[in-house]
Amino acid sequence: MLLAIILFAPLFGSLFASLFAFKKKMLIAAIVPVIALTISLISAFVLFPNIVDGYVEYIDISDWIIAGSLNTSFGFMVDGVTMIMILVVLVVSLLVHIYSIGYMSHDECFNKFFAFLSAFVFSMLVLVMSDNFLGLFIGWEGVGLCSWMLIGFWYKRESASFAANEAFIMNRIADLGMLLGIFLIFYSFGSLRYIDIFPYVGDISQFTLNLIGILLFIGAMGKSAQFPLHTWLADAMEGPTPVSALIHAATMVTAGVYLVIRANPIYDLIPNVSTFITYLGAFVAIFAATMALVNRDLKRIIAYSTLSQLGYMFVAAGLGYYWIALFHLMTHAFFKSLLFLGAGNVMHAMNDNLDITKMGGLYKPMKWTAILMTIASIALAGIYPFAGFFSKDKILEAAFIDGSCFLWAVLLLGALLTAFYSFRLLMLVFFTPKRYEDSLHPHEASSIMILSLLPLGILAIFIGFVESNFHHYLENYYLPLKSMEIDSATLAMLIAFALVFALTGIIMAIIAYKKGFKLIAESNPIYKLLFNQYYIPKIYNDFIMKPYKGLSRFFWREIDLRIIDFVVDFIARIFVWSGEKSRITQSGNLSQSLILMICGIFTLLIILLLIF
């Protein structure tokens, strides 16, 4: 019963809000989804103590597809991994919903926004709670659809429509790989349920297992915006800021990491694919961080930060430390949603201006937002005792223990860059002299928006202390817990290095931007390379989009118009002409009709004689 409430309460909220989708703003359209999410979250907390020591809660709602050997039901489960994801999704989503009441208060599509937002949460719950790959895929596609509706929520803006379509299409490309992987899973195991697959993954050929792992990870690359399918993530900032917070913290981009964690019995047996995941994650961690160093768009900087942190999560998962990947996913959700919602406060104060070089001096009029965003930035930088320190430090330890000093050094550099760009943002927005126009009068956000941020601020400080309990909570599930034995002296050295690099990045940013120093001159080729995202969007535009448009125009002009339309029109003209000529047979003249009948009979007789 509790499991059903957890799953379907957000759907109820979405359907209720949709009843008022085309009406003027009605507060009830937001309050009911918030109440529904609160009930769902309370139910999750009630169920939480039962999901211990390897216990798994199942619910089978009904049969779904029964065709030949395929027998799939609407089945859902909650184990330790699912329970963590449910709590993260619901806590962040509830606070985002509450925040949105203030943020979207003047939007003419207020009611419709909450219908979409709750549907987004429901789709993510279907994804994480399904007990089979097909149900996971349904939630996966539901998340994709809701993201399209929310990124393009202000569809009258061309940039928003483009961003929504870009995210949707790029994810559909990746999802084809995932769908092929699911087909191959069914072909190999005869089932799509996790309990029918994971205990027997060693029974199929290594080649097939590698192919399944690769295809599933292609889907994860799209959803979690890993290179080269990453460009949609920054452009997705065209949506309302609460949507950005939900996408980056609790839904959408975390789905790819969850897929790899959930399918860990497969990835444990394909070390080559796991190694690729590890090094791709390390590359993305640096790749995204460098772009955040020079970007001037408030939300895009935070988006690149998400991309970088996803790289850290994939490093942990690729190394086989799945619990650390899940732990970083959890801690990251709280401080990243706090950063995005804080950015939403700044946007409101600056009349939707996002250029951080045209801000400054916002600490005095926006003290609460400044303090909360500082807490989130310290957590992101990985400073003790904030949440990011515990999870990111564990990933660095895992890389070192695994014997890859190069990987550890790369991630350490990423930590320095993260600290630098995080405090670059803070300095330019809050702690440098004002650079905005005098016509602007910045002010603090409404009380409901600030109050919804406070729990996230508390979690960003203290949630890291659950590390030990988190580790033991997962030890009786499918999640393998690799040993992290290391002597105290080495551990102290690793922690010291991580803290020194993070503090160095923070101090460099504070000193540099307090004095108005620019890290790289805007005329510098390196600056241009980073600011233009390594010219990857331009490459996609010039070598994929433009040729595709040209080919489409060619087929439309030469094939569609000149051949297909010509053939269809020619057939139509023949029928029109034959109809016109046949009208004489319907003159109503009896003598003429008799003559035509005789001619017809005579013609038929000739044909019969020729045949026989």
Side-chain angles (χ1 to χ4, degrees):
M1 183 64 182
L2 287 173
L3 196 153
I5 293 172
I6 292 168
L7 179 61
F8 291 110
L11 178 61
F12 174 82
S14 174
L15 294 175
F16 183 86
S18 68
L19 297 175
F20 309 97
F22 300 104
K23 296 183 179 181
K24 290 182 179 180
K25 175 190 171 182
M26 299 179 68
L27 197 58
I28 192 72
I31 291 174
V32 170
V34 168
I35 293 172
L37 278 175
T38 304
I39 293 170
S40 183
L41 181 58
I42 292 170
S43 300
F45 278 120
V46 172
L47 184 62
F48 180 72
N50 298 329
I51 310 300
V52 292
D53 299 328
Y55 178 75
V56 182
E57 180 91 14
Y58 286 97
I59 181 174
D60 243 352
I61 294 176
S62 69
D63 290 331
W64 183 11
I65 301 173
I66 301 176
S69 60
L70 177 60
N71 189 335
T72 305
S73 64
F74 282 108
F76 300 92
M77 70 167 196
V78 175
D79 64 359
V81 176
T82 308
M83 195 75 246
I84 298 298
M85 289 298 297
I86 288 171
L87 292 174
V88 170
V89 170
L90 289 176
V91 168
V92 174
S93 299
L94 175 60
L95 294 172
V96 168
H97 272 69
I98 295 170
Y99 177 89
S100 298
I101 295 173
Y103 189 88
M104 301 295 289
S105 59
H106 300 297
D107 197 284
E108 60 182 9
C109 296
F110 178 89
N111 303 340
K112 185 166 66 173
F113 179 80
F114 282 90
F116 290 169
L117 206 63
S118 288
F120 204 178
V121 179
F122 169 70
S123 297
M124 189 64 188
L125 289 175
V126 170
L127 191 158
V128 301
M129 293 174 67
S130 178
D131 69 351
N132 64 84
F133 278 103
L134 193 56
L136 180 147
F137 187 74
I138 296 301
W140 191 273
E141 294 304 300
V143 165
L145 173 62
C146 293
S147 69
W148 177 76
M149 293 189 294
L150 287 165
I151 294 169
F153 187 75
W154 291 318
Y155 59 88
K156 293 180 182 179
R157 289 176 5 199
E158 187 177 346
S159 57
S161 293
F162 175 85
N165 290 334
E166 180 187 17
F168 191 80
I169 292 168
M170 195 165 284
N171 275 277
R172 296 298 72 71
I173 293 167
D175 291 353
L176 175 60
M178 181 180 172
L179 192 58
L180 291 173
I182 292 173
F183 288 156
L184 190 55
I185 287 171
F186 178 74
Y187 177 80
S188 302
F189 296 96
S191 175
L192 292 171
R193 296 188 72 195
Y194 303 145
I195 59 173
D196 297 332
I197 296 167
F198 294 151
Y200 308 104
V201 290
D203 296 344
I204 64 173
S205 70
Q206 191 68 22
F207 174 79
T208 303
L209 207 57
N210 273 298
L211 192 54
I212 289 171
I214 291 167
L215 290 170
L216 290 180
F217 185 64
I218 289 172
M221 286 172 65
K223 199 65 78 184
S224 292
Q226 294 297 283
F227 177 87
L229 303 175
H230 65 282
T231 55
W232 69 266
L233 189 63
D235 292 339
M237 297 304 96
E238 290 292 337
T241 301
V243 175
S244 303
L246 204 54
I247 287 176
H248 286 251
T251 62
M252 192 71 172
V253 297
T254 61
V257 179
Y258 170 77
L259 175 62
V260 174
I261 294 170
R262 174 58 68 192
N264 71 83
I266 294 173
Y267 288 101
D268 271 345
L269 297 180
I270 46 176
N272 291 335
V273 176
S274 294
T275 300
F276 172 77
I277 293 172
T278 299
Y279 282 92
L280 178 63
F283 166 74
V284 170
I286 296 294
F287 172 72
T290 56
M291 291 187 286
L293 290 175
V294 300
N295 204 282
R296 296 196 293 260
D297 187 296
L298 175 62
K299 287 174 67 177
R300 282 177 180 260
I301 293 169
I302 305 173
Y304 288 130
S305 169
T306 300
L307 186 54
S308 180
Q309 297 309 304
L310 287 167
Y312 277 88
M313 295 175 207
F314 277 116
V315 168
L319 290 173
Y321 296 93
Y322 302 101
W323 77 270
I324 298 177
L326 186 60
F327 185 47
H328 192 50
L329 185 156
M330 180 183 73
T331 60
H332 173 264
F334 300 126
F335 58 73
K336 185 52 57 70
S337 56
L338 180 57
L339 269 176
F340 265 114
L341 298 182
N345 292 354
V346 174
M347 283 179 64
H348 264 201
M350 299 303 294
N351 197 23
D352 288 341
N353 178 26
L354 287 166
D355 190 344
I356 61 173
T357 63
K358 295 179 180 178
M359 296 182 186
L362 292 181
Y363 175 75
K364 285 186 178 179
M366 302 185 70
K367 284 185 180 179
W368 277 107
T369 298
I371 291 168
L372 289 166
M373 288 188 73
T374 302
I375 289 171
S377 298
I378 294 172
L380 175 60
I383 302 299
Y384 183 85
F386 293 77
F389 165 80
F390 294 91
S391 55
K392 191 184 289 186
D393 186 66
K394 279 294 174 186
I395 297 173
L396 288 166
E397 283 180 37
F400 188 86
I401 291 169
D402 205 62
S404 178
C405 290
F406 171 75
L407 192 63
W408 174 72
V410 168
L411 297 179
L412 208 55
L413 174 61
L416 186 147
L417 297 178
T418 300
F420 184 90
Y421 68 66
S422 298
F423 276 78
R424 167 182 176 262
L425 183 151
L426 286 176
M427 293 300 295
L428 290 175
V429 173
F430 296 109
F431 302 112
T432 49
K434 79 167 192 174
R435 296 175 299 281
Y436 54 84
E437 297 176 2
D438 292 332
S439 58
L440 290 173
H441 301 285
H443 55 85
E444 189 58 273
S446 63
S447 298
I448 192 170
M449 293 165 72
I450 293 297
L451 287 173
S452 64
L453 299 187
L454 292 177
L456 293 172
I458 294 168
L459 288 166
I461 297 171
F462 296 110
I463 196 65
F465 288 102
V466 305
E467 176 199 323
S468 178
N469 293 330
F470 187 92
H471 178 270
H472 293 301
Y473 179 69
L474 297 171
E475 63 187 354
N476 291 315
Y477 297 95
Y478 275 122
L479 218 56
L481 301 178
K482 290 178 67 174
S483 173
M484 293 192 69
E485 292 182 6
I486 187 171
D487 63 86
S488 56
T490 306
L491 179 60
M493 180 201 72
L494 294 176
I495 292 173
F497 265 105
L499 285 173
V500 166
F501 270 69
L503 289 170
T504 300
I506 291 172
I507 293 167
M508 284 173 61
I510 292 172
I511 293 172
Y513 289 97
K514 195 71 175 176
K515 295 184 177 180
F517 169 74
K518 287 187 177 180
L519 183 66
I520 310 175
E522 293 184 11
S523 58
N524 190 300
I526 296 176
Y527 178 93
K528 291 180 179 178
L529 180 70
L530 299 180
F531 187 78
N532 291 290
Q533 305 172 56
Y534 293 90
Y535 296 100
I536 292 172
K538 180 173 175 57
I539 291 169
Y540 286 172
N541 184 62
D542 291 348
F543 293 97
I544 297 177
M545 292 176 64
K546 284 184 178 178
Y548 180 78
K549 286 181 180 178
L551 189 64
S552 299
R553 288 194 190 97
F554 170 80
F555 277 108
W556 169 68
R557 188 173 54 249
E558 303 298 331
I559 307 298
D560 198 16
L561 293 181
R562 294 193 177 185
I563 298 177
I564 297 174
D565 281 5
F566 173 78
V567 170
V568 172
D569 292 344
F570 180 72
I571 294 171
R573 289 192 191 100
I574 289 174
F575 279 107
V576 170
W577 177 83
S578 63
E580 289 290 338
K581 297 302 180 184
S582 300
R583 287 176 66 186
I584 60 173
T585 64
Q586 302 297 324
S587 64
N589 188 308
L590 183 60
S591 300
Q592 187 180 33
S593 297
L594 288 171
I595 292 169
L596 289 172
M597 286 174 63
I598 293 168
C599 290
I601 293 168
F602 182 71
T603 303
L604 288 172
L605 287 172
I606 292 173
I607 293 171
L608 288 171
L609 288 171
L610 290 172
I611 293 173
F612 298 105

